[in-house]
Amino acid sequence: MNAAQTARSVAATAEAAATASREWARADRTVRAAALDAVAARLDAAADELVPTAMRETHLPEPRLRGELGRTTFQLRLFAEVLRDGSYLDARIDTADPEWPMGPRPDIRRTLVPLGPVAVFAASNFPFAFSVIGGDSASALAAGNAVVVKTHPGHPDLSAATAAVVVAALAGDGAPQDLFQLVSGIDEGRELLLAPQIRAGAFTGSIAGGRALFDLAQQRPDPIPFFGELGSVNPVFVTREAARRRAEEITAGFVGSFTLGAGQFCTKPGVLVHPRDSDLRELLAAHDLPAPAPLLNDRIQQGYVAGLGTLAGNDGVEPLRFDDGALADPPAPSLVATDLKYVLDNPAVLDEVFGPASLLVAYDDEDELLALAELLPGQLTATVVGEEDDRIAPALLERLADRAGRVLWNQWPTGVTVSHAQQHGGPYPATTAPGTTSVGTAAITRFLRPVAFQNLPQSLLPAELRDGGPAPALVNGTPSGGSR
Amino acid sequence: MNAAQTARSVAATAEAAATASREWARADRTVRAAALDAVAARLDAAADELVPTAMRETHLPEPRLRGELGRTTFQLRLFAEVLRDGSYLDARIDTADPEWPMGPRPDIRRTLVPLGPVAVFAASNFPFAFSVIGGDSASALAAGNAVVVKTHPGHPDLSAATAAVVVAALAGDGAPQDLFQLVSGIDEGRELLLAPQIRAGAFTGSIAGGRALFDLAQQRPDPIPFFGELGSVNPVFVTREAARRRAEEITAGFVGSFTLGAGQFCTKPGVLVHPRDSDLRELLAAHDLPAPAPLLNDRIQQGYVAGLGTLAGNDGVEPLRFDDGALADPPAPSLVATDLKYVLDNPAVLDEVFGPASLLVAYDDEDELLALAELLPGQLTATVVGEEDDRIAPALLERLADRAGRVLWNQWPTGVTVSHAQQHGGPYPATTAPGTTSVGTAAITRFLRPVAFQNLPQSLLPAELRDGGPAPALVNGTPSGGSR
């Protein structure tokens, strides 16, 4: 397509999404919940068609992909539960109060309404859970919005096959036509994000790609929210006492985590900060590493080789597990090493390298950990491997909570459960919207907007704002009603 | 100061704010609540000093300013209550669950933590409630952040006097030094928003000014959230039946609302959409209007004359109450008129004119109201004056809820109560962050960020995430504990 054709085609897609979004916003929450359940059921039933396609296009192994599809359908069903419960609406009812201290208060009632059509930019590394019908699409649909997915070029056939399943399930359940659409291509994605009908963007991917789209969304005549999950090195801090007591356990856990899925997780621990006077470095120098595994696609492979080459090329960074195989295709897992003082002077060594590599950082004095924690750019996760009575623990955890969306203790950051309390986010560059999460039930809030209704008759109020309505509500400041 | 001096001075302010913010974030919620109460008490006690200063600098009358100061201190005390209650933390506890359907779930607990130092850009039209210690400062402090206010040049003496009271109250209550600071000047404001220590911006003012600051915040190497409340015309839609039954009541209510405070409210009804075949236009042509009142300052006066001149100069807009006094200083309240078809073709007539003027828009067919509602840019408020059985009401309310943050029925939009259910926001250009509010208890959420803690021992968890902790929490998806 030439530029004009692309623009016309995307404009028609966006217009159809706006019409569908209006109708979907009107649908009862239980109707939307049933549709999400129907999509989950059809996806589960299509596993034997979808998984082989995913294997072919992503080089990921079958058990991982079947597990990921299960996570994806679980996520859809969990959002269906969220819809049926209704707490997510954060309904608030303040009845008229002539004695309100600042002056008579009118009857005012607040709920959340859908933002409108959402543009979802799919990721490559989770071809189910963060792609066509992953967390962004599921939460945007649950919130009551039409979705247009810009597919990832890494798995085009899987994207089309997945969308076909989703569209068939939605149609079978009576959802509006064009509620769920795809576009492909970089120009198409940009046009989509600029379409006046699109009211929010969501993205999982690289810092460069995410920043470019974020900038585009903010430079619109009417800027829109853009929820980008970009990059993170997920540092792990090992205290002196933990290294002394549990060096072998830590070694095994760390190797398992940084090489999981060939290191292609946004939560891969890319930095391990350890006491110089421990056995960790020696143990890691000798520990078995997994065999080389092909990366997702050529672009990821090239990016990995370039990034790891830059990191290893620093004069203060030395090889630990880094031979000819490290930069081969497929690459052997590798480890390079430096010390904390070098990192403080050369923070660029903290740049994310997406793939099976990690950087060991040796420290001499535990207090140096606090200096490094303060220097960190925003992170999805930060981990402390420590003992409960470690003197440094409270201060270190406090500083890491100021820099990361999830702070772990004696566990590894890879593996992000989908639950009520999950938080997958963090200050920039971890995300472009630090107040939000892209995983867990709270992710739905991204695609909603509060509206207060003042002095409306009961008959004209949204159902959840009527007296004794069907959802939990905060009534004059006190929780009441619904399932709460 | 020259540019280098300005930069150094602002950098020192931001660095001091970062230190104070870290300490304040650590303070117990009840300590922060007590400090807010202390600020409120000192402000109330200083009324006889502050109000005359405000009168001199803003031309606003004494009763209005005393009322506004009361609103401001009420707001501080309401946030103190919010802190003591603890529900605002949205604490969520998911205990470890080996049977979680997508795979074993770790113990994961989520709360909200302060973003860090906030830059607050004060407004001119509410010298107390949206200025130095207005809603933005109060909610940012309550959330646990240091605040640096960029003062509004319209009331410099009041800004300094207010800040002195706030700082003395905070110091008397043991809050960290430099928790609350001021800067003045356009360049200083820009430098402040670009300082790496600043983690969020908040603004109330014009579209042009707010957009420039929003762009600056988004173009940082690390973009930060910017909560701008910019502009709105707050349209009022009168149905045919309401106009037939209640024309005199509507006339009086509308005149009272659009001229309140000389029309210098962000919720002033700037457009009244009425049936052509009603008495409303004739009644408005004859109704008493308030005497001319001086506007806040010369810049507002100049902007008003320019904006009203442009509006009245449209060939499809005719004068209704518009004589020589309309563009004088002080200006007489004025009304101009057009019809709905003209507005659809010339949407620029919907641009906000800040001051005592409004635009009447006549319609022939009630269904035209839906077309106009869809054309609206984002609004803080939209109002329907109607009868409960009006055929158009449900569809019109639905469309207005898609375009506005607050939707009213048979009341007037001026007067924004501070309560749990209040929503003062809306899609761009009403605000730059449609998911948030700048008034009401939910405003605190803007300055917080979720963090999940995984597998932490009880002793290292934030208090509200411990088993049986001191705040309400969602435990494994079920509300429990605290005051809930």
Side-chain angles (χ1 to χ4, degrees), chain A residues 26 92 94 100 211 218 220-221 388 398 401 405-407 409 411 418-421 434 449 452 454-455 459, chain B residues 26 92 94 100 211 214 220-221 388 398 401 405-407 409 411 418-421 434 449 452 454-455 459:
Chain A
R26 247 176 247 141
R92 298 168 179 224
D94 289 339
W100 192 237
R211 180 66 192 253
Q218 302 320 304
R220 288 168 52 124
E388 194 172 341
E398 179 192 294
R406 181 163 53 111
V407 176
W409 178 262
Q411 290 188 345
V418 180
S419 74
H420 306 285
R449 182 174 68 77
Q454 183 174 325
N455 195 41
S459 66
Chain B
R26 247 175 246 141
R92 299 167 178 227
D94 289 339
W100 191 237
R211 180 66 192 253
F214 169 81
R220 286 169 53 123
E388 193 171 341
E398 179 193 294
R406 181 163 54 111
V407 177
W409 178 262
Q411 290 186 346
V418 180
S419 74
H420 306 286
R449 181 174 68 76
Q454 184 175 325
N455 195 42
S459 66

Side-chain angles (χ1 to χ4, degrees), chain B residues 237-262:
Chain B
F237 296 78
V238 183
T239 69
R240 173 156 286 125
E241 194 55 24
R244 196 182 65 76
R245 293 192 203 174
R246 299 185 272 134
E248 296 196 5
E249 173 202 324
I250 296 166
T251 299
F254 172 63
V255 168
S257 186
F258 95 83
T259 62
L260 190 71

Side-chain angles (χ1 to χ4, degrees), chain A residues 343-400:
Chain A
V343 176
L344 295 181
D345 292 337
N346 301 275
V349 297
L350 296 178
D351 287 355
E352 183 180 11
V353 177
F354 193 79
S358 195
L359 172 68
L360 307 190
V361 177
Y363 66 86
D364 296 299
D365 179 349
E366 248 177 7
D367 286 335
E368 292 176 293
L369 298 181
L370 302 181
L372 179 57
E374 283 185 22
L375 176 91
L376 286 175
Q379 300 291 331
L380 292 170
T381 76
T383 300
V384 178
V385 177
E387 303 298 326
E388 194 172 341
D389 56 359
D390 274 326
R391 185 191 50 84
I392 198 80
L396 183 56
L397 289 167
E398 179 192 294
R399 276 167 182 71
L400 294 179

Side-chain angles (χ1 to χ4, degrees), chain B residues 4-74:
Chain B
Q5 286 170 322
T6 295
R8 274 198 302 277
S9 160
V10 171
T13 300
E15 187 56 37
T19 303
S21 217
R22 214 170 289 133
E23 190 180 333
W24 187 237
R26 247 175 246 141
D28 192 84
R29 285 184 278 122
T30 58
V31 170
R32 299 209 297 264
L36 295 183
D37 281 340
V39 171
R42 288 247 193 172
L43 286 168
D44 280 338
D48 290 343
E49 173 207 350
L50 299 176
V51 168
T53 307
M55 288 167 66
R56 176 171 56 76
E57 289 189 321
T58 68
H59 309 133
L60 293 171
E62 178 167 354
R64 145 73 196 271
L65 288 166
R66 287 200 181 266
E68 189 188 325
L69 180 57
R71 172 203 179 91
T72 305
T73 59
F74 169 75

Side-chain angles (χ1 to χ4, degrees), chain B residues 117-256:
Chain B
V118 177
V120 171
F121 293 80
S124 66
N125 60 336
F126 282 87
F128 291 117
F130 288 84
S131 186
V132 169
I133 188 64
D136 288 339
S137 295
S139 51
L141 284 171
N145 304 294
V147 166
V148 184
V149 177
K150 189 271 174 188
T151 59
H152 195 283
H155 46 271
D157 293 349
L158 179 65
S159 298
T162 305
V165 173
V166 173
V167 168
L170 291 172
D173 217 68
Q177 202 184 349
D178 300 321
L179 180 64
F180 188 83
Q181 302 175 89
L182 296 189
V183 301
S184 296
I186 291 176
D187 291 342
E188 285 76 359
R190 293 173 58 94
E191 285 287 342
L192 178 67
L193 197 58
L194 293 174
Q197 296 89 346
I198 295 296
R199 299 279 181 87
F203 170 92
T204 305
S206 70
I207 293 180
R211 180 66 192 253
L213 291 171
F214 169 81
D215 288 346
L216 207 60
Q218 302 321 303
Q219 289 159 9
R220 286 169 53 123
D222 58 331
I224 54 173
F226 185 83
F227 305 102
E229 190 257 85
L230 312 189
S232 184
V233 289
N234 308 295
V236 177
F237 296 78
V238 183
T239 69
R240 173 156 286 125
E241 194 55 24
R244 196 182 65 76
R245 293 192 203 174
R246 299 185 272 134
E248 296 196 5
E249 173 202 324
I250 296 166
T251 299
F254 172 63
V255 168

